[in-house]
Amino acid sequence: MTDTTSTASAAPQDADGLTRLEQEGEIAADYLEGLLDIADLDGDIDMDVEGDRAAVSVIADGPSRDLQKLVGRDGEVLEALQELTRLAVLRETGERSRLMLDIAGHRARKREKLTALAQETVQQVRDSGEAVKLKPMTPFERKVVHDAVAAAGLRSESEGEEPQRRVVVLP
């Protein structure tokens, strides 16, 4: 869990926000522990606060092959579990959650690959002066790419409708 002492001098609503995010993490952790018990899977739960959202990770005690069942093909099961976990938080708090769930490091690895893709695309846009459209992505994937493009000093936007929504990197 994140150490809250660094926010002690922050405005009271920041401290309240951190407390709310920590509460979301606790509720999510309880929900996921129950799920792991039902599925008879081993894993440790790690909670943190990243920016303006709670982050919960399920980490394998040993080989993560068993937890891969909770990730699924291309993270489809992980996305569904994240939504179910957010619903569990909503049920307890009455407020919509932006909680981010990672299982067996899947999102962390995906973030690294997407950041590299964004950097390559930024270079391609700079070299050609032309906008580049990327393949359709999930909201998580698009956010990672938008953040990496902005960090590189270029602009990007999303276009299209789900599930064909994609990032366009602009010169």
Side-chain angles (χ1 to χ4, degrees):
M1 178 126 48
T2 301
D3 180 13
T4 58
T5 57
S6 62
T7 60
S9 62
Q13 55 192 159
D14 289 343
D16 291 343
L18 186 59
T19 302
R20 181 182 55 80
L21 294 177
E22 288 174 337
Q23 178 188 16
E24 286 183 14
E26 292 285 341
I27 294 166
D30 290 344
Y31 176 79
L32 291 166
E33 283 175 0
L35 178 77
L36 290 173
D37 286 344
I38 291 168
D40 196 27
L41 296 172
D42 291 326
D44 292 327
I45 309 278
D46 182 39
M47 295 176 292
D48 201 357
V49 174
E50 296 176 2
D52 61 346
R53 64 176 58 193
V56 178
S57 299
V58 180
I59 304 163
D61 290 334
S64 64
R65 248 181 49 224
D66 284 345
L67 288 183
Q68 290 304 315
K69 297 172 187 172
L70 298 179
V71 173
R73 187 175 59 107
D74 295 328
E76 291 172 341
V77 176
L78 171 59
E79 291 288 336
L81 286 174
Q82 177 174 277
E83 287 307 311
L84 289 172
T85 304
R86 287 176 174 176
L87 286 172
V89 171
L90 173 66
R91 185 186 67 221
E92 293 292 321
T93 66
E95 294 183 26
R96 184 152 158 59
S97 172
R98 295 183 60 234
L99 177 128
M100 184 63 64
L101 175 63
D102 192 6
I103 298 176
H106 176 79
R107 283 200 199 273
R109 288 187 302 277
K110 189 80 160 180
R111 183 176 280 123
E112 288 176 18
K113 289 178 184 175
L114 289 166
T115 300
L117 171 66
Q119 290 168 345
E120 291 169 14
T121 306
V122 163
Q123 192 57 53
Q124 181 182 352
V125 168
R126 284 185 174 142
D127 291 346
S128 71
E130 303 276 328
V132 173
K133 292 182 181 183
L134 299 176
K135 67 178 178 68
M137 298 178 177
T138 67
F140 163 75
E141 294 168 334
R142 290 193 310 270
K143 169 107 173 76
V144 171
V145 172
H146 285 305
D147 290 348
V149 168
L154 287 184
R155 291 183 318 112
S156 60
E157 56 188 36
S158 292
E159 71 175 25
E161 299 294 323
E162 296 292 350
Q164 296 300 312
R165 198 152 170 81
R166 67 185 68 233
V167 173
V168 179
V169 180
L170 305 167

PDB file of all heavy atoms in Angstrom, residues 87-123:
ATOM      1  N   LEU A  87     -17.155  -2.967 -10.420  1.00  0.00           N
ATOM      2  CA  LEU A  87     -18.545  -3.082  -9.970  1.00  0.00           C
ATOM      3  C   LEU A  87     -18.623  -3.430  -8.490  1.00  0.00           C
ATOM      4  O   LEU A  87     -19.499  -2.937  -7.777  1.00  0.00           O
ATOM      5  CB  LEU A  87     -19.290  -4.127 -10.800  1.00  0.00           C
ATOM      6  CG  LEU A  87     -19.656  -3.703 -12.217  1.00  0.00           C
ATOM      7  CD1 LEU A  87     -20.224  -4.895 -13.000  1.00  0.00           C
ATOM      8  CD2 LEU A  87     -20.656  -2.563 -12.201  1.00  0.00           C
ATOM      9  N   ALA A  88     -17.693  -4.261  -8.010  1.00  0.00           N
ATOM     10  CA  ALA A  88     -17.651  -4.595  -6.583  1.00  0.00           C
ATOM     11  C   ALA A  88     -17.357  -3.341  -5.760  1.00  0.00           C
ATOM     12  O   ALA A  88     -17.947  -3.128  -4.698  1.00  0.00           O
ATOM     13  CB  ALA A  88     -16.609  -5.679  -6.313  1.00  0.00           C
ATOM     14  N   VAL A  89     -16.455  -2.501  -6.261  1.00  0.00           N
ATOM     15  CA  VAL A  89     -16.133  -1.250  -5.577  1.00  0.00           C
ATOM     16  C   VAL A  89     -17.353  -0.321  -5.602  1.00  0.00           C
ATOM     17  O   VAL A  89     -17.703   0.287  -4.582  1.00  0.00           O
ATOM     18  CB  VAL A  89     -14.891  -0.567  -6.201  1.00  0.00           C
ATOM     19  CG1 VAL A  89     -14.689   0.827  -5.636  1.00  0.00           C
ATOM     20  CG2 VAL A  89     -13.647  -1.425  -5.991  1.00  0.00           C
ATOM     21  N   LEU A  90     -18.019  -0.222  -6.742  1.00  0.00           N
ATOM     22  CA  LEU A  90     -19.222   0.608  -6.862  1.00  0.00           C
ATOM     23  C   LEU A  90     -20.298   0.155  -5.874  1.00  0.00           C
ATOM     24  O   LEU A  90     -20.935   0.981  -5.211  1.00  0.00           O
ATOM     25  CB  LEU A  90     -19.763   0.544  -8.297  1.00  0.00           C
ATOM     26  CG  LEU A  90     -21.113   1.224  -8.550  1.00  0.00           C
ATOM     27  CD1 LEU A  90     -21.006   2.732  -8.353  1.00  0.00           C
ATOM     28  CD2 LEU A  90     -21.609   0.901  -9.951  1.00  0.00           C
ATOM     29  N   ARG A  91     -20.473  -1.147  -5.768  1.00  0.00           N
ATOM     30  CA  ARG A  91     -21.489  -1.683  -4.854  1.00  0.00           C
ATOM     31  C   ARG A  91     -21.202  -1.270  -3.406  1.00  0.00           C
ATOM     32  O   ARG A  91     -22.104  -0.919  -2.664  1.00  0.00           O
ATOM     33  CB  ARG A  91     -21.530  -3.212  -4.970  1.00  0.00           C
ATOM     34  CG  ARG A  91     -22.633  -3.845  -4.137  1.00  0.00           C
ATOM     35  CD  ARG A  91     -22.576  -5.353  -4.145  1.00  0.00           C
ATOM     36  NE  ARG A  91     -21.362  -5.753  -3.432  1.00  0.00           N
ATOM     37  CZ  ARG A  91     -20.558  -6.736  -3.807  1.00  0.00           C
ATOM     38  NH1 ARG A  91     -20.807  -7.413  -4.894  1.00  0.00           N
ATOM     39  NH2 ARG A  91     -19.499  -7.046  -3.104  1.00  0.00           N
ATOM     40  N   GLU A  92     -19.929  -1.257  -3.021  1.00  0.00           N
ATOM     41  CA  GLU A  92     -19.556  -0.939  -1.644  1.00  0.00           C
ATOM     42  C   GLU A  92     -19.525   0.566  -1.365  1.00  0.00           C
ATOM     43  O   GLU A  92     -19.848   0.999  -0.271  1.00  0.00           O
ATOM     44  CB  GLU A  92     -18.177  -1.531  -1.308  1.00  0.00           C
ATOM     45  CG  GLU A  92     -18.148  -3.028  -1.277  1.00  0.00           C
ATOM     46  CD  GLU A  92     -18.933  -3.610  -0.123  1.00  0.00           C
ATOM     47  OE1 GLU A  92     -18.892  -3.038   0.986  1.00  0.00           O
ATOM     48  OE2 GLU A  92     -19.606  -4.631  -0.336  1.00  0.00           O
ATOM     49  N   THR A  93     -19.076   1.360  -2.348  1.00  0.00           N
ATOM     50  CA  THR A  93     -18.870   2.788  -2.113  1.00  0.00           C
ATOM     51  C   THR A  93     -19.973   3.666  -2.676  1.00  0.00           C
ATOM     52  O   THR A  93     -20.111   4.817  -2.264  1.00  0.00           O
ATOM     53  CB  THR A  93     -17.537   3.262  -2.734  1.00  0.00           C
ATOM     54  OG1 THR A  93     -17.616   3.146  -4.166  1.00  0.00           O
ATOM     55  CG2 THR A  93     -16.362   2.477  -2.190  1.00  0.00           C
ATOM     56  N   GLY A  94     -20.696   3.161  -3.670  1.00  0.00           N
ATOM     57  CA  GLY A  94     -21.705   3.968  -4.335  1.00  0.00           C
ATOM     58  C   GLY A  94     -21.111   4.918  -5.360  1.00  0.00           C
ATOM     59  O   GLY A  94     -21.820   5.722  -5.956  1.00  0.00           O
ATOM     60  N   GLU A  95     -19.802   4.829  -5.588  1.00  0.00           N
ATOM     61  CA  GLU A  95     -19.126   5.698  -6.559  1.00  0.00           C
ATOM     62  C   GLU A  95     -18.403   4.858  -7.605  1.00  0.00           C
ATOM     63  O   GLU A  95     -17.825   3.819  -7.290  1.00  0.00           O
ATOM     64  CB  GLU A  95     -18.108   6.596  -5.857  1.00  0.00           C
ATOM     65  CG  GLU A  95     -18.736   7.594  -4.917  1.00  0.00           C
ATOM     66  CD  GLU A  95     -17.702   8.514  -4.286  1.00  0.00           C
ATOM     67  OE1 GLU A  95     -16.631   8.724  -4.899  1.00  0.00           O
ATOM     68  OE2 GLU A  95     -17.971   9.010  -3.188  1.00  0.00           O
ATOM     69  N   ARG A  96     -18.436   5.361  -8.838  1.00  0.00           N
ATOM     70  CA  ARG A  96     -17.740   4.686  -9.940  1.00  0.00           C
ATOM     71  C   ARG A  96     -16.244   4.749  -9.706  1.00  0.00           C
ATOM     72  O   ARG A  96     -15.710   5.774  -9.309  1.00  0.00           O
ATOM     73  CB  ARG A  96     -18.111   5.366 -11.251  1.00  0.00           C
ATOM     74  CG  ARG A  96     -17.525   4.693 -12.453  1.00  0.00           C
ATOM     75  CD  ARG A  96     -18.369   4.910 -13.674  1.00  0.00           C
ATOM     76  NE  ARG A  96     -17.679   4.739 -14.927  1.00  0.00           N
ATOM     77  CZ  ARG A  96     -17.064   3.645 -15.326  1.00  0.00           C
ATOM     78  NH1 ARG A  96     -16.991   2.614 -14.529  1.00  0.00           N
ATOM     79  NH2 ARG A  96     -16.494   3.563 -16.506  1.00  0.00           N
ATOM     80  N   SER A  97     -15.563   3.654  -9.986  1.00  0.00           N
ATOM     81  CA  SER A  97     -14.127   3.550  -9.775  1.00  0.00           C
ATOM     82  C   SER A  97     -13.385   3.523 -11.104  1.00  0.00           C
ATOM     83  O   SER A  97     -13.891   2.996 -12.096  1.00  0.00           O
ATOM     84  CB  SER A  97     -13.816   2.261  -9.000  1.00  0.00           C
ATOM     85  OG  SER A  97     -12.432   2.041  -8.939  1.00  0.00           O
ATOM     86  N   ARG A  98     -12.184   4.079 -11.110  1.00  0.00           N
ATOM     87  CA  ARG A  98     -11.298   4.005 -12.282  1.00  0.00           C
ATOM     88  C   ARG A  98     -10.142   3.050 -11.983  1.00  0.00           C
ATOM     89  O   ARG A  98      -9.089   3.123 -12.597  1.00  0.00           O
ATOM     90  CB  ARG A  98     -10.771   5.399 -12.614  1.00  0.00           C
ATOM     91  CG  ARG A  98     -11.896   6.334 -13.055  1.00  0.00           C
ATOM     92  CD  ARG A  98     -11.385   7.697 -13.465  1.00  0.00           C
ATOM     93  NE  ARG A  98     -10.457   7.587 -14.569  1.00  0.00           N
ATOM     94  CZ  ARG A  98      -9.212   8.094 -14.554  1.00  0.00           C
ATOM     95  NH1 ARG A  98      -8.763   8.735 -13.506  1.00  0.00           N
ATOM     96  NH2 ARG A  98      -8.429   7.955 -15.583  1.00  0.00           N
ATOM     97  N   LEU A  99     -10.342   2.159 -11.031  1.00  0.00           N
ATOM     98  CA  LEU A  99      -9.335   1.211 -10.592  1.00  0.00           C
ATOM     99  C   LEU A  99      -8.691   0.486 -11.772  1.00  0.00           C
ATOM    100  O   LEU A  99      -9.374   0.151 -12.741  1.00  0.00           O
ATOM    101  CB  LEU A  99     -10.025   0.189  -9.676  1.00  0.00           C
ATOM    102  CG  LEU A  99      -9.166  -0.942  -9.166  1.00  0.00           C
ATOM    103  CD1 LEU A  99      -9.289  -1.010  -7.657  1.00  0.00           C
ATOM    104  CD2 LEU A  99      -9.567  -2.248  -9.806  1.00  0.00           C
ATOM    105  N   MET A 100      -7.377   0.287 -11.681  1.00  0.00           N
ATOM    106  CA  MET A 100      -6.636  -0.431 -12.713  1.00  0.00           C
ATOM    107  C   MET A 100      -6.188  -1.759 -12.117  1.00  0.00           C
ATOM    108  O   MET A 100      -5.586  -1.793 -11.043  1.00  0.00           O
ATOM    109  CB  MET A 100      -5.423   0.386 -13.167  1.00  0.00           C
ATOM    110  CG  MET A 100      -4.646  -0.230 -14.307  1.00  0.00           C
ATOM    111  SD  MET A 100      -5.558  -0.396 -15.850  1.00  0.00           S
ATOM    112  CE  MET A 100      -5.860   1.289 -16.272  1.00  0.00           C
ATOM    113  N   LEU A 101      -6.482  -2.847 -12.812  1.00  0.00           N
ATOM    114  CA  LEU A 101      -6.117  -4.187 -12.369  1.00  0.00           C
ATOM    115  C   LEU A 101      -5.039  -4.744 -13.280  1.00  0.00           C
ATOM    116  O   LEU A 101      -5.119  -4.609 -14.501  1.00  0.00           O
ATOM    117  CB  LEU A 101      -7.354  -5.099 -12.394  1.00  0.00           C
ATOM    118  CG  LEU A 101      -7.137  -6.570 -12.067  1.00  0.00           C
ATOM    119  CD1 LEU A 101      -6.620  -6.737 -10.631  1.00  0.00           C
ATOM    120  CD2 LEU A 101      -8.426  -7.352 -12.269  1.00  0.00           C
ATOM    121  N   ASP A 102      -4.029  -5.366 -12.674  1.00  0.00           N
ATOM    122  CA  ASP A 102      -2.997  -6.077 -13.430  1.00  0.00           C
ATOM    123  C   ASP A 102      -2.890  -7.475 -12.848  1.00  0.00           C
ATOM    124  O   ASP A 102      -2.992  -7.652 -11.630  1.00  0.00           O
ATOM    125  CB  ASP A 102      -1.648  -5.357 -13.331  1.00  0.00           C
ATOM    126  CG  ASP A 102      -0.622  -5.894 -14.325  1.00  0.00           C
ATOM    127  OD1 ASP A 102      -0.980  -6.746 -15.171  1.00  0.00           O
ATOM    128  OD2 ASP A 102       0.540  -5.467 -14.258  1.00  0.00           O
ATOM    129  N   ILE A 103      -2.709  -8.442 -13.697  1.00  0.00           N
ATOM    130  CA  ILE A 103      -2.550  -9.826 -13.254  1.00  0.00           C
ATOM    131  C   ILE A 103      -1.295 -10.387 -13.897  1.00  0.00           C
ATOM    132  O   ILE A 103      -1.117 -10.307 -15.119  1.00  0.00           O
ATOM    133  CB  ILE A 103      -3.772 -10.693 -13.623  1.00  0.00           C
ATOM    134  CG1 ILE A 103      -5.020 -10.153 -12.918  1.00  0.00           C
ATOM    135  CG2 ILE A 103      -3.529 -12.161 -13.268  1.00  0.00           C
ATOM    136  CD1 ILE A 103      -6.306 -10.861 -13.270  1.00  0.00           C
ATOM    137  N   ALA A 104      -0.418 -10.924 -13.049  1.00  0.00           N
ATOM    138  CA  ALA A 104       0.823 -11.583 -13.486  1.00  0.00           C
ATOM    139  C   ALA A 104       1.671 -10.661 -14.369  1.00  0.00           C
ATOM    140  O   ALA A 104       2.368 -11.124 -15.260  1.00  0.00           O
ATOM    141  CB  ALA A 104       0.512 -12.899 -14.195  1.00  0.00           C
ATOM    142  N   GLY A 105       1.590  -9.354 -14.136  1.00  0.00           N
ATOM    143  CA  GLY A 105       2.412  -8.397 -14.873  1.00  0.00           C
ATOM    144  C   GLY A 105       2.002  -8.174 -16.315  1.00  0.00           C
ATOM    145  O   GLY A 105       2.731  -7.528 -17.076  1.00  0.00           O
ATOM    146  N   HIS A 106       0.820  -8.648 -16.701  1.00  0.00           N
ATOM    147  CA  HIS A 106       0.375  -8.517 -18.098  1.00  0.00           C
ATOM    148  C   HIS A 106       0.311  -7.057 -18.544  1.00  0.00           C
ATOM    149  O   HIS A 106       0.839  -6.697 -19.606  1.00  0.00           O
ATOM    150  CB  HIS A 106      -0.993  -9.183 -18.289  1.00  0.00           C
ATOM    151  CG  HIS A 106      -1.555  -9.002 -19.659  1.00  0.00           C
ATOM    152  ND1 HIS A 106      -1.128  -9.754 -20.728  1.00  0.00           N
ATOM    153  CD2 HIS A 106      -2.480  -8.136 -20.150  1.00  0.00           C
ATOM    154  CE1 HIS A 106      -1.778  -9.366 -21.816  1.00  0.00           C
ATOM    155  NE2 HIS A 106      -2.610  -8.382 -21.491  1.00  0.00           N
ATOM    156  N   ARG A 107      -0.344  -6.200 -17.755  1.00  0.00           N
ATOM    157  CA  ARG A 107      -0.471  -4.790 -18.145  1.00  0.00           C
ATOM    158  C   ARG A 107       0.879  -4.089 -18.143  1.00  0.00           C
ATOM    159  O   ARG A 107       1.128  -3.235 -18.989  1.00  0.00           O
ATOM    160  CB  ARG A 107      -1.436  -4.055 -17.223  1.00  0.00           C
ATOM    161  CG  ARG A 107      -2.875  -4.359 -17.528  1.00  0.00           C
ATOM    162  CD  ARG A 107      -3.765  -3.264 -16.942  1.00  0.00           C
ATOM    163  NE  ARG A 107      -5.120  -3.694 -16.822  1.00  0.00           N
ATOM    164  CZ  ARG A 107      -6.025  -3.604 -17.783  1.00  0.00           C
ATOM    165  NH1 ARG A 107      -5.707  -3.098 -18.938  1.00  0.00           N
ATOM    166  NH2 ARG A 107      -7.259  -4.017 -17.583  1.00  0.00           N
ATOM    167  N   ALA A 108       1.737  -4.429 -17.203  1.00  0.00           N
ATOM    168  CA  ALA A 108       3.063  -3.796 -17.152  1.00  0.00           C
ATOM    169  C   ALA A 108       3.847  -4.119 -18.429  1.00  0.00           C
ATOM    170  O   ALA A 108       4.468  -3.231 -19.021  1.00  0.00           O
ATOM    171  CB  ALA A 108       3.824  -4.257 -15.911  1.00  0.00           C
ATOM    172  N   ARG A 109       3.815  -5.372 -18.847  1.00  0.00           N
ATOM    173  CA  ARG A 109       4.511  -5.761 -20.090  1.00  0.00           C
ATOM    174  C   ARG A 109       3.869  -5.080 -21.295  1.00  0.00           C
ATOM    175  O   ARG A 109       4.556  -4.604 -22.196  1.00  0.00           O
ATOM    176  CB  ARG A 109       4.494  -7.279 -20.262  1.00  0.00           C
ATOM    177  CG  ARG A 109       5.413  -8.015 -19.305  1.00  0.00           C
ATOM    178  CD  ARG A 109       5.502  -9.503 -19.625  1.00  0.00           C
ATOM    179  NE  ARG A 109       4.227 -10.186 -19.607  1.00  0.00           N
ATOM    180  CZ  ARG A 109       3.622 -10.648 -18.511  1.00  0.00           C
ATOM    181  NH1 ARG A 109       4.191 -10.489 -17.327  1.00  0.00           N
ATOM    182  NH2 ARG A 109       2.464 -11.278 -18.592  1.00  0.00           N
ATOM    183  N   LYS A 110       2.541  -5.025 -21.294  1.00  0.00           N
ATOM    184  CA  LYS A 110       1.818  -4.386 -22.398  1.00  0.00           C
ATOM    185  C   LYS A 110       2.172  -2.896 -22.474  1.00  0.00           C
ATOM    186  O   LYS A 110       2.361  -2.344 -23.555  1.00  0.00           O
ATOM    187  CB  LYS A 110       0.310  -4.579 -22.172  1.00  0.00           C
ATOM    188  CG  LYS A 110      -0.536  -4.179 -23.310  1.00  0.00           C
ATOM    189  CD  LYS A 110      -0.546  -5.260 -24.342  1.00  0.00           C
ATOM    190  CE  LYS A 110      -1.731  -5.100 -25.244  1.00  0.00           C
ATOM    191  NZ  LYS A 110      -1.777  -6.123 -26.261  1.00  0.00           N
ATOM    192  N   ARG A 111       2.258  -2.261 -21.303  1.00  0.00           N
ATOM    193  CA  ARG A 111       2.611  -0.836 -21.251  1.00  0.00           C
ATOM    194  C   ARG A 111       3.985  -0.601 -21.877  1.00  0.00           C
ATOM    195  O   ARG A 111       4.170   0.355 -22.633  1.00  0.00           O
ATOM    196  CB  ARG A 111       2.579  -0.348 -19.797  1.00  0.00           C
ATOM    197  CG  ARG A 111       2.861   1.143 -19.667  1.00  0.00           C
ATOM    198  CD  ARG A 111       2.727   1.614 -18.227  1.00  0.00           C
ATOM    199  NE  ARG A 111       1.306   1.809 -17.926  1.00  0.00           N
ATOM    200  CZ  ARG A 111       0.656   1.207 -16.947  1.00  0.00           C
ATOM    201  NH1 ARG A 111       1.267   0.384 -16.139  1.00  0.00           N
ATOM    202  NH2 ARG A 111      -0.620   1.455 -16.756  1.00  0.00           N
ATOM    203  N   GLU A 112       4.955  -1.455 -21.572  1.00  0.00           N
ATOM    204  CA  GLU A 112       6.299  -1.319 -22.156  1.00  0.00           C
ATOM    205  C   GLU A 112       6.258  -1.430 -23.671  1.00  0.00           C
ATOM    206  O   GLU A 112       6.869  -0.623 -24.382  1.00  0.00           O
ATOM    207  CB  GLU A 112       7.237  -2.385 -21.587  1.00  0.00           C
ATOM    208  CG  GLU A 112       7.649  -2.157 -20.155  1.00  0.00           C
ATOM    209  CD  GLU A 112       8.503  -3.295 -19.615  1.00  0.00           C
ATOM    210  OE1 GLU A 112       9.052  -4.090 -20.422  1.00  0.00           O
ATOM    211  OE2 GLU A 112       8.623  -3.404 -18.381  1.00  0.00           O
ATOM    212  N   LYS A 113       5.533  -2.432 -24.185  1.00  0.00           N
ATOM    213  CA  LYS A 113       5.441  -2.631 -25.636  1.00  0.00           C
ATOM    214  C   LYS A 113       4.744  -1.450 -26.313  1.00  0.00           C
ATOM    215  O   LYS A 113       5.167  -0.990 -27.375  1.00  0.00           O
ATOM    216  CB  LYS A 113       4.700  -3.928 -25.949  1.00  0.00           C
ATOM    217  CG  LYS A 113       5.479  -5.177 -25.622  1.00  0.00           C
ATOM    218  CD  LYS A 113       4.657  -6.422 -25.918  1.00  0.00           C
ATOM    219  CE  LYS A 113       5.401  -7.670 -25.490  1.00  0.00           C
ATOM    220  NZ  LYS A 113       4.578  -8.871 -25.656  1.00  0.00           N
ATOM    221  N   LEU A 114       3.669  -0.957 -25.696  1.00  0.00           N
ATOM    222  CA  LEU A 114       2.929   0.156 -26.280  1.00  0.00           C
ATOM    223  C   LEU A 114       3.731   1.453 -26.259  1.00  0.00           C
ATOM    224  O   LEU A 114       3.656   2.250 -27.195  1.00  0.00           O
ATOM    225  CB  LEU A 114       1.605   0.348 -25.553  1.00  0.00           C
ATOM    226  CG  LEU A 114       0.571  -0.742 -25.801  1.00  0.00           C
ATOM    227  CD1 LEU A 114      -0.557  -0.653 -24.794  1.00  0.00           C
ATOM    228  CD2 LEU A 114       0.040  -0.663 -27.224  1.00  0.00           C
ATOM    229  N   THR A 115       4.511   1.642 -25.204  1.00  0.00           N
ATOM    230  CA  THR A 115       5.368   2.832 -25.141  1.00  0.00           C
ATOM    231  C   THR A 115       6.407   2.780 -26.249  1.00  0.00           C
ATOM    232  O   THR A 115       6.665   3.792 -26.914  1.00  0.00           O
ATOM    233  CB  THR A 115       6.028   2.935 -23.747  1.00  0.00           C
ATOM    234  OG1 THR A 115       4.993   3.037 -22.762  1.00  0.00           O
ATOM    235  CG2 THR A 115       6.938   4.143 -23.649  1.00  0.00           C
ATOM    236  N   ALA A 116       6.979   1.605 -26.475  1.00  0.00           N
ATOM    237  CA  ALA A 116       7.947   1.448 -27.569  1.00  0.00           C
ATOM    238  C   ALA A 116       7.273   1.698 -28.919  1.00  0.00           C
ATOM    239  O   ALA A 116       7.841   2.382 -29.786  1.00  0.00           O
ATOM    240  CB  ALA A 116       8.577   0.059 -27.521  1.00  0.00           C
ATOM    241  N   LEU A 117       6.062   1.166 -29.112  1.00  0.00           N
ATOM    242  CA  LEU A 117       5.319   1.401 -30.353  1.00  0.00           C
ATOM    243  C   LEU A 117       5.062   2.893 -30.548  1.00  0.00           C
ATOM    244  O   LEU A 117       5.242   3.431 -31.644  1.00  0.00           O
ATOM    245  CB  LEU A 117       3.990   0.643 -30.331  1.00  0.00           C
ATOM    246  CG  LEU A 117       3.017   0.962 -31.471  1.00  0.00           C
ATOM    247  CD1 LEU A 117       3.584   0.512 -32.813  1.00  0.00           C
ATOM    248  CD2 LEU A 117       1.659   0.309 -31.203  1.00  0.00           C
ATOM    249  N   ALA A 118       4.664   3.568 -29.492  1.00  0.00           N
ATOM    250  CA  ALA A 118       4.399   5.005 -29.580  1.00  0.00           C
ATOM    251  C   ALA A 118       5.658   5.766 -29.962  1.00  0.00           C
ATOM    252  O   ALA A 118       5.614   6.676 -30.803  1.00  0.00           O
ATOM    253  CB  ALA A 118       3.844   5.522 -28.252  1.00  0.00           C
ATOM    254  N   GLN A 119       6.796   5.407 -29.373  1.00  0.00           N
ATOM    255  CA  GLN A 119       8.051   6.090 -29.679  1.00  0.00           C
ATOM    256  C   GLN A 119       8.450   5.863 -31.141  1.00  0.00           C
ATOM    257  O   GLN A 119       8.901   6.784 -31.822  1.00  0.00           O
ATOM    258  CB  GLN A 119       9.148   5.632 -28.723  1.00  0.00           C
ATOM    259  CG  GLN A 119       8.919   6.125 -27.313  1.00  0.00           C
ATOM    260  CD  GLN A 119       9.819   5.453 -26.281  1.00  0.00           C
ATOM    261  OE1 GLN A 119      10.440   4.435 -26.535  1.00  0.00           O
ATOM    262  NE2 GLN A 119       9.859   6.040 -25.095  1.00  0.00           N
ATOM    263  N   GLU A 120       8.268   4.631 -31.630  1.00  0.00           N
ATOM    264  CA  GLU A 120       8.563   4.343 -33.042  1.00  0.00           C
ATOM    265  C   GLU A 120       7.642   5.149 -33.959  1.00  0.00           C
ATOM    266  O   GLU A 120       8.081   5.690 -34.980  1.00  0.00           O
ATOM    267  CB  GLU A 120       8.380   2.847 -33.330  1.00  0.00           C
ATOM    268  CG  GLU A 120       9.400   1.955 -32.680  1.00  0.00           C
ATOM    269  CD  GLU A 120       9.018   0.473 -32.781  1.00  0.00           C
ATOM    270  OE1 GLU A 120       8.111   0.118 -33.579  1.00  0.00           O
ATOM    271  OE2 GLU A 120       9.628  -0.324 -32.047  1.00  0.00           O
ATOM    272  N   THR A 121       6.377   5.234 -33.589  1.00  0.00           N
ATOM    273  CA  THR A 121       5.398   5.968 -34.396  1.00  0.00           C
ATOM    274  C   THR A 121       5.702   7.456 -34.390  1.00  0.00           C
ATOM    275  O   THR A 121       5.600   8.125 -35.429  1.00  0.00           O
ATOM    276  CB  THR A 121       3.968   5.687 -33.896  1.00  0.00           C
ATOM    277  OG1 THR A 121       3.758   4.272 -33.872  1.00  0.00           O
ATOM    278  CG2 THR A 121       2.933   6.345 -34.786  1.00  0.00           C
ATOM    279  N   VAL A 122       6.090   7.990 -33.243  1.00  0.00           N
ATOM    280  CA  VAL A 122       6.477   9.401 -33.154  1.00  0.00           C
ATOM    281  C   VAL A 122       7.620   9.679 -34.118  1.00  0.00           C
ATOM    282  O   VAL A 122       7.603  10.673 -34.859  1.00  0.00           O
ATOM    283  CB  VAL A 122       6.855   9.780 -31.699  1.00  0.00           C
ATOM    284  CG1 VAL A 122       7.647  11.067 -31.656  1.00  0.00           C
ATOM    285  CG2 VAL A 122       5.605   9.889 -30.844  1.00  0.00           C
ATOM    286  N   GLN A 123       8.612   8.797 -34.133  1.00  0.00           N
ATOM    287  CA  GLN A 123       9.756   8.988 -35.037  1.00  0.00           C
ATOM    288  C   GLN A 123       9.301   8.925 -36.496  1.00  0.00           C
ATOM    289  O   GLN A 123       9.739   9.721 -37.325  1.00  0.00           O
ATOM    290  CB  GLN A 123      10.844   7.947 -34.765  1.00  0.00           C
ATOM    291  CG  GLN A 123      12.150   8.266 -35.456  1.00  0.00           C
ATOM    292  CD  GLN A 123      12.690   9.632 -35.078  1.00  0.00           C
ATOM    293  OE1 GLN A 123      12.829   9.950 -33.902  1.00  0.00           O
ATOM    294  NE2 GLN A 123      12.995  10.458 -36.069  1.00  0.00           N
TER     295      GLN A 123
END
